[in-house]
Amino acid sequence: MANHNFYAVCPFGLETFLADEITRAGGRDIKPGKGGVSFYGDEGVAMNVCLWSRTASRVLMEVAHAEYWDTRDIHALAVKTPWEKYFSADHTIRVSANAQRCPLESLDFAVLRIKDGICDRFRDLAGRRPDVARHRPDVRIAAFLTYDRVTFYIDLAGEALFKRGWRLTHGEAPLKENLAAGLLMLAGWTPEQPLVDPFCGSGTIGIEAAHMAMNLAPGLYREFAFEKLENFDNEQFKELREDAMAMVNRHATVKIQCSDISSLVVEKAHENAMRAGLNDLIEDGRLSFTTGDAREVMPLEGENGVLIANPPYGEQSNPKSASIQSMMKVFADHLKGNFAGWTAWMLTSDRTLPSQMRLKAARKTVLFNGPLECRFFRFDMVAGSNRRKKDDEAESAQ
């Protein structure tokens, strides 16, 4: 198999975790950047990353790069690139472009010239050209332009990798699956720790946690664009998928409790989990979805655990709403009184959340939920809050 340079895209702030996943998949020369990780390897490595990465959004395979002065140079590179190694004129294509400090007046015109170059090459070689498809193309081609260099990539994922295949509809402001996985990794959660999500929405955090506990590859039940490419060995990928299937542990010991105040939302989250193959965990109570107010949710019995939540902020509601602020203050008081010894993590676009909750954040991480800049706050629920409550009760009894 041939070796290539690859670039894996991920949410900003999760690059270190993605680099670790690429290392486990067999990648070499791994270099984390901002919002992605470059690496080197063969097609098997890239297939493994697509299959196993919980944090990647896309995996791009570099096929050509060169310096350019104007769009004529970009068109010439598109004509010169041996696209026939990867797909035929029978495939449908789509071309997109991103740029950084690009001097060209129109990126759309650059995309058009790339399409023209690809079609010109196939006309010369095969006498016909591939069709362009706006939706669900067989091959997605991505161009990246800097001030003086252009690089062509083929997208190996197709649909974004955070689309695991179980979601039918999004909630009001859905948390992407790879960001949910990143939250669990940043929180240092392990299946041995009880996990609570009191604002579960579509159930993404709980579902991702369950899959992690089961060692279920996130790409196990979906298709990838590389399966249609000429240079990828589908028999090898079939073996990789079969190996991943054999590694699933459906008897994993885990305790995950998800809840939301809306019974309709909880019902949809439950349906999502069933489509995600978590029937066994739901039936025996290892994963639960219940209707309940976050201000009344109680910790799971046993050892101290982790609470991770994406409360109603940012796109979901007006973060300046007095009712939201009041609710979060009461929620924080509830945590102090009942979750002593637990670690609570909150993803929010409102930087004033700690002051609203009257809690001091032990740590904060900048993340992006789509285009929305957020903070992932860590709060350590110390046992002292419970001691004060017991002391108050003892004094009142005297």
Side-chain angles (χ1 to χ4, degrees), residues 14-52:
L14 302 184
E15 298 88 355
T16 301
F17 298 113
L18 176 55
D20 291 341
E21 291 177 327
I22 293 170
T23 299
R24 291 194 292 271
R28 291 171 282 156
D29 195 20
I30 299 167
K31 297 176 182 176
K34 289 186 177 181
V37 178
S38 63
F39 65 100
Y40 184 75
D42 60 28
E43 293 93 341
V45 170
M47 290 190 288
N48 245 332
V49 174
C50 287
L51 180 62
W52 278 101

Side-chain angles (χ1 to χ4, degrees), residues 2 55 59 80 118 134 136-137 142 153 160 162 164 211 225 245 258 291 296 338 348 357 375:
T55 58
V59 176
K80 187 171 67 174
I118 296 169
R134 291 178 59 87
R136 300 187 65 83
Y153 298 93
F162 62 77
R164 315 294 202 214
H211 282 173
M245 185 74 74
C258 304
T291 302
E296 300 174 356
N338 297 284
T348 176
M357 298 179 71
R375 300 293 185 277

Side-chain angles (χ1 to χ4, degrees), residues 93-394:
I93 65 170
R94 180 181 177 183
V95 181
S96 62
N98 285 296
Q100 191 175 60
R101 296 176 60 238
C102 174
L104 298 178
E105 291 185 7
S106 171
L107 207 56
D108 289 339
F109 185 64
V111 168
L112 180 61
R113 296 300 286 148
I114 295 167
K115 291 178 188 174
D116 290 344
I118 296 169
C119 292
D120 289 346
R121 182 176 180 91
F122 275 103
R123 278 199 198 95
D124 291 342
L125 291 175
R128 54 198 177 91
R129 46 156 283 180
D131 290 331
V132 175
R134 291 178 59 87
H135 304 289
R136 300 187 65 83
D138 296 323
V139 182
R140 298 172 190 253
I141 296 154
F144 182 69
L145 294 90
T146 63
Y147 182 76
D148 61 353
R149 295 190 69 83
V150 57
T151 306
F152 295 153
Y153 298 93
I154 291 179
D155 184 346
L156 303 183
E159 291 284 352
L161 291 175
F162 62 77
K163 296 182 179 180
R164 315 294 202 214
W166 53 259
R167 193 190 296 273
L168 292 183
T169 58
H170 291 282
E172 187 179 348
L175 186 70
K176 288 185 172 61
E177 290 83 336
N178 59 343
L179 181 55
L183 299 184
L184 291 158
M185 294 175 187
L186 283 164
W189 177 78
T190 61
E192 294 77 26
Q193 299 171 292
L195 176 68
V196 169
D197 178 2
F199 301 93
C200 74
S202 58
T204 311
I205 292 173
I207 291 170
E208 284 296 309
H211 282 173
M212 291 169 68
M214 295 168 62
N215 196 37
L216 191 149
L220 190 58
Y221 298 121
R222 54 158 287 167
E223 296 178 347
F224 300 97
F226 65 71
E227 296 179 70
K228 297 180 180 179
L229 297 179
E230 304 286 352
N231 63 317
F232 277 74
D233 186 344
N234 283 328
E235 284 301 314
Q236 182 189 11
F237 181 60
K238 182 179 177 182
E239 292 179 7
L240 291 174
R241 196 190 289 274
E242 288 174 351
D243 290 344
M245 185 74 74
M247 294 170 69
V248 176
N249 177 15
R250 299 196 176 276
H251 304 288
T253 301
V254 68
K255 192 69 174 177
I256 302 167
Q257 176 180 298
C258 304
S259 61
D260 201 282
I261 199 166
S262 166
S263 59
L264 182 61
V265 166
V266 169
E267 183 181 347
K268 290 182 178 178
H270 182 274
E271 292 171 357
N272 286 340
M274 296 292 280
R275 279 193 299 272
L278 301 176
N279 315 47
D280 293 343
L281 276 71
I282 292 173
E283 288 175 4
D284 60 21
R286 287 176 287 167
L287 171 63
S288 65
F289 294 92
T290 57
T291 302
D293 192 317
R295 293 164 289 190
E296 300 174 356
V297 169
M298 297 303 291
L300 297 162
E301 295 182 3
E303 298 181 7
N304 298 333
V306 177
L307 182 149
I308 301 178
N310 178 210
Y313 279 92
E315 294 180 352
Q316 295 169 315
S317 63
N318 179 1
K320 304 303 181 185
S321 165
S323 62
I324 291 292
Q325 292 185 14
S326 174
M327 184 268 287
M328 293 308 296
K329 171 61 174 63
V330 175
F331 175 61
D333 291 341
H334 179 68
L335 291 181
K336 295 172 192 175
N338 297 284
F339 282 78
W342 281 57
T343 304
W345 296 78
M346 304 282 168
L347 179 72
T348 176
S349 63
D350 189 351
R351 302 184 189 186
T352 67
L353 177 67
S355 62
Q356 291 174 26
M357 298 179 71
R358 298 181 187 177
L359 290 172
K360 183 177 180 181
R363 176 179 163 189
K364 64 179 178 181
T365 305
V366 177
L367 296 170
F368 281 82
N369 186 8
L372 197 65
E373 182 176 337
C374 297
R375 300 293 185 277
F376 191 39
F377 291 107
R378 169 181 167 172
F379 303 104
D380 295 329
M381 299 292 108
V382 295
S385 56
N386 267 353
R387 284 201 301 271
R388 285 194 298 272
K389 181 179 179 182
K390 291 176 181 178
D391 291 343
D392 291 342
E393 291 174 351

